[in-house]
Amino acid sequence: MDEHCDQGCQNLRWALALLDGLVAGGMRHLVFSPGSRSTPLLLAAQRQTSLTLTPILDERSAAFFALGLARAAGHPVGLLCTSGSALAHWFPAVIEAYESEIPLILLSADRPPELRGWGANQTIDQTRLFGGFVREFHDPGTAESGAAALKMMRTLGARVAAVSLGNWPGPVHINLPFREPLVPTAECSAESNPPLSLNRNSGHKTTLASSEQSWGEDIDVWTRDLTAMMSGRGLICCGPGTFSPVGESLAPLGFAEALWKCSEQLAVPVLCDPLSGLRFGADSTHRITRYDSFLRHPATAAALKPDWVLRIGRAPVSKTLLNWLADIPTILVDPGQGWSDPNKDVRVRVNADASSFCLWLATLAQDVMDKQTHADWSAQWTAIEQQCAQLTTNYLAQAPWCEAHLLTTLLAHLPADDGLFCANSMPIRQLDTWSGGRSAPLGIFGNRGASGIDGQTSTLAGLNASGIPITGLLGDLSFFHDLSGLLLLRQLQRPCIVLNNGGGRIFDYLPQRGLPDFERLWRTPIDLDCGALLRPFSIAHCAVTNGDEFQAALRECVNPSEHQSSGVIEVRIDAELSRRVHYEFWQHIQASQSI
């Protein structure tokens, strides 16, 4: 048979052209789950020497692995599966990528159109399966031959990569139906294709580097209105988000430098969410991290109420802070198409890159704003931050050991430029409350877009695969929820710390506590022996119950021997004691005379 008539060869060339465009657009990793219908894409990927291929059996685990890898690496990561229900397992990770603006390329193999709707095996309607949770959807149809068809596929790949990285990064879905045979029946050589020369950042960013680069002819009017809104006492609130490309260091230095310059010129404090990337690294006298504690003090919260707030990133982790910000006129900086405004207080939304906007605003503040208005304002915040830090240190010195002490120890031990992946529910809230700041850079990661507890171990493994040493901090329910991710944990350079406090203890802090059958219906403890569970996976395990044991385990796992994996540190927490420590601390704050 002439190879030009061979459907298998046609499928392969079609897939090769698509991957040419995706690679030219910056895709360097393809995570896939095994299947038959996806064979042409996998055969093509084998010929792409610049692609790293990672096979993962479970599609849900694969999707969260790709999510973590794309988040840390900063470039699009491809995700490939076969037809049928396989891609439905991606959905939770796709939602997280959509909300957290993470570039995923979803490549779903499909049956050809003539089989859909006729009861054919492993065939469902895959078109637009993810609805509004992708930036774009494409179904280019079945493979065709000819230069024009291959050019279209190469360009589609380049477009999809660019969109995933654009002003509003996120997942893009390409559904790819293939007719059989899926494996070429003749020796199939790739046709000569001109290489695509594309910048991986070809999704054009909206930027504003200075007042000369304006949003239009009305810049003078716009500047006057913004200046009027920012009169009086203000603050900057940085929530979760990635505000500039991450280089060798995890700290977003370009954005941080622009932000600190802006806060200096405005003389305002900067409230730094743990997932903003600003709590750890280059120090600034304007950095505030302990607001979740001292804003519980009624007189302090009232005295610090600002006249305006500049928000960068998504809504903060701290519910105390979010509630306190309600009804304050807000300026939101967001280069994408999202609208993070749960309190409905945004008066001005700035569609610009955060770094460039901060530099522009610093220049504007230097030229036209009255810095004297805020002469003592930022100093007042800094003094309260320091007083709260000292009060916290004194309290923990006499309090029973719990997660607060664990976090203090962990942050002191993690090397500079490491990463910490923090699960949702209680771990991220405890990190928010107790972390403070430090001068050594540390990247903090979390799936906070949709705040689910699913896919945590797989995401941790994906982050680790980027080459950054990542420590995991997970609750027991998050850990047990993603058991298939345990297959991936053997490659960790740092330990996965599991806070085993007997179920969903976040409900102990919510109104559900005390309802009938509370333990079974809300807290839902899982009666599993963590060490026995890990043994078949050949993952090292140690269980600790106090600070000395935790420090010893941490020293061993952060710097494991050559032939030893970092493994899992199970920290068995007395949940009732921990709850008492937290509530007594908040009461101590509320009664304090020093803040």
Side-chain angles (χ1 to χ4, degrees):
M1 177 183 291
D2 189 296
E3 67 166 296
H4 290 282
C5 298
D6 182 270
Q7 182 67 55
C9 276
Q10 196 163 286
N11 290 337
L12 177 58
R13 291 199 185 99
W14 188 251
L16 279 168
L18 175 66
L19 289 181
D20 280 347
L22 289 170
V23 169
M27 193 178 91
R28 295 293 178 266
H29 292 82
L30 181 66
V31 180
F32 68 94
S33 299
S36 174
R37 192 63 52 166
S38 53
T39 295
L41 281 162
L42 197 54
L43 291 174
Q46 286 182 302
R47 299 192 181 196
Q48 279 284 355
T49 57
S50 56
L51 270 183
T52 298
L53 306 183
T54 303
I56 297 178
L57 176 64
D58 176 8
E59 285 86 2
R60 190 181 74 161
S61 183
F64 277 104
F65 180 94
L67 179 88
L69 181 55
R71 184 192 296 271
H75 58 64
V77 171
L79 190 57
L80 171 64
C81 74
T82 192
S83 62
S85 63
L87 64 159
H89 296 281
W90 289 348
F91 217 145
V94 171
I95 291 171
E96 179 63 33
Y98 175 90
E99 296 291 346
S100 291
E101 302 183 351
I102 298 174
L104 286 185
I105 309 296
L106 312 174
L107 303 170
S108 58
D110 198 0
R111 308 287 187 174
E114 61 267 22
L115 295 182
R116 299 175 191 166
W118 292 96
N121 182 49
Q122 203 173 317
T123 305
I124 67 169
D125 184 359
Q126 298 180 191
T127 58
R128 303 190 182 278
L129 181 65
F130 302 110
F133 288 104
V134 291
R135 302 293 184 247
E136 285 188 352
F137 169 78
H138 298 275
D139 189 334
T142 54
E144 298 180 15
S145 59
L150 298 183
K151 177 183 177 183
M152 183 273 292
M153 288 301 283
R154 268 182 235 109
T155 307
L156 175 62
R159 168 180 171 162
V160 163
V163 169
S164 75
L165 283 170
N167 279 352
W168 194 25
V172 182
H173 181 198
I174 313 177
N175 192 58
L176 295 156
F178 291 107
R179 292 192 174 97
E180 295 182 347
L182 303 171
V183 178
T185 57
E187 183 63 28
C188 186
S189 59
E191 292 179 350
S192 177
N193 299 322
L196 288 176
S197 179
L198 295 173
N199 189 305
R200 61 179 290 268
N201 293 317
S202 53
H204 301 292
K205 296 285 184 181
T206 301
T207 59
L208 183 72
S210 69
S211 57
E212 286 74 30
Q213 290 178 273
S214 70
W215 289 280
E217 297 178 357
D218 295 331
I219 185 64
D220 292 337
V221 174
W222 196 96
T223 301
R224 184 191 65 201
D225 292 345
L226 181 65
T227 304
M229 183 178 172
M230 297 177 69
S231 63
R233 305 187 308 177
L235 60 83
I236 300 173
C237 177
C238 286
T242 302
F243 308 112
S244 62
V246 176
E248 294 183 2
S249 170
L250 288 177
L253 295 178
F255 170 66
E257 291 170 348
L259 177 68
W260 301 140
K261 181 177 180 180
C262 182
S263 65
E264 180 67 31
Q265 291 300 324
L266 292 171
V268 297
V270 181
L271 279 57
C272 302
D273 186 90
L275 293 171
S276 68
L278 296 165
R279 286 196 178 183
F280 312 105
D283 203 2
S284 170
T285 57
H286 298 274
R287 178 165 63 197
I288 304 296
T289 65
R290 298 189 181 272
Y291 47 80
D292 184 74
S293 296
F294 64 69
L295 288 178
R296 296 173 188 268
H297 189 284
T300 299
L304 293 178
K305 205 78 168 178
D307 299 306
W308 55 268
V309 59
L310 171 64
R311 277 195 44 230
I312 302 172
R314 299 188 300 279
V317 167
S318 171
K319 190 174 181 179
T320 298
L321 173 59
L322 188 62
N323 290 340
W324 180 78
L325 289 172
D327 301 323
I328 300 173
T330 299
I331 303 159
L332 176 65
V333 179
D334 184 357
Q337 297 179 33
W339 198 293
S340 177
D341 185 22
N343 288 339
K344 313 299 186 296
D345 291 318
V346 170
R347 301 291 179 266
V348 175
R349 180 179 175 277
V350 182
N351 182 233
D353 167 73
S355 300
S356 301
F357 178 77
C358 285
L359 290 174
W360 177 83
L361 187 57
T363 302
L364 178 66
Q366 188 174 16
D367 292 342
V368 302
M369 289 186 178
D370 182 10
K371 185 175 179 180
Q372 191 60 36
T373 302
H374 309 304
D376 300 322
W377 175 241
S378 186
Q380 182 181 357
W381 278 85
T382 301
I384 292 173
E385 171 88 355
Q386 293 170 348
Q387 291 161 7
C388 186
Q390 187 60 55
L391 188 151
T392 302
T393 299
N394 295 342
Y395 176 80
L396 293 181
Q398 54 80 42
W401 191 83
C402 68
E403 297 93 333
H405 305 81
L406 179 149
L407 283 165
T408 301
T409 301
L410 178 62
L411 292 172
H413 276 73
L414 290 180
D417 291 321
D418 261 30
L420 175 65
F421 175 70
C422 190
N424 287 308
S425 197
M426 287 304 295
I428 188 62
R429 287 171 171 83
Q430 289 166 337
L431 180 69
D432 190 20
T433 298
W434 302 109
S435 78
R438 76 174 204 180
S439 57
L442 177 68
I444 305 293
F445 301 93
N447 287 346
R448 198 65 190 166
S451 298
I453 68 165
D454 47 348
Q456 302 292 300
T457 52
S458 298
T459 303
L460 171 62
L463 289 163
N464 177 77
S466 73
I468 302 168
I470 303 286
T471 297
L473 183 65
L474 278 62
D476 52 328
L477 291 191
S478 291
F479 186 73
F480 293 140
H481 197 286
D482 189 18
L483 291 181
S484 61
L486 298 183
L487 290 166
L488 309 172
L489 289 192
R490 284 172 288 189
Q491 305 303 316
L492 294 188
Q493 304 171 65
R494 297 286 186 264
C496 176
I497 300 165
V498 179
L499 303 177
N500 192 343
N501 54 13
R505 292 291 174 166
I506 190 171
F507 295 107
D508 289 4
Y509 298 82
L510 297 175
Q512 287 87 346
R513 179 181 169 87
L515 290 175
D517 213 2
F518 171 71
E519 178 84 0
R520 185 173 70 92
L521 300 182
W522 279 274
R523 194 180 280 161
T524 59
I526 306 296
D527 186 18
L528 280 177
D529 183 329
C530 190
L533 174 69
L534 292 170
R535 203 168 297 124
F537 294 93
S538 300
I539 297 173
H541 167 264
C542 65
V544 303
T545 58
N546 59 55
D548 291 339
E549 292 176 352
F550 178 68
Q551 287 196 53
L554 196 60
R555 283 193 298 269
E556 184 175 349
C557 288
V558 169
N559 299 293
S561 62
E562 184 178 351
H563 302 293
Q564 177 188 6
S565 65
S566 292
V568 170
I569 303 175
E570 179 190 2
V571 184
R572 294 171 181 168
I573 300 288
D574 183 331
E576 290 301 320
L577 179 64
S578 173
R579 182 176 181 273
R580 179 168 62 82
V581 170
H582 281 78
Y583 272 106
E584 286 182 356
F585 173 69
W586 293 329
Q587 291 167 1
H588 190 57
I589 288 285
Q590 291 168 358
S592 173
Q593 300 297 316
S594 61
I595 61 173

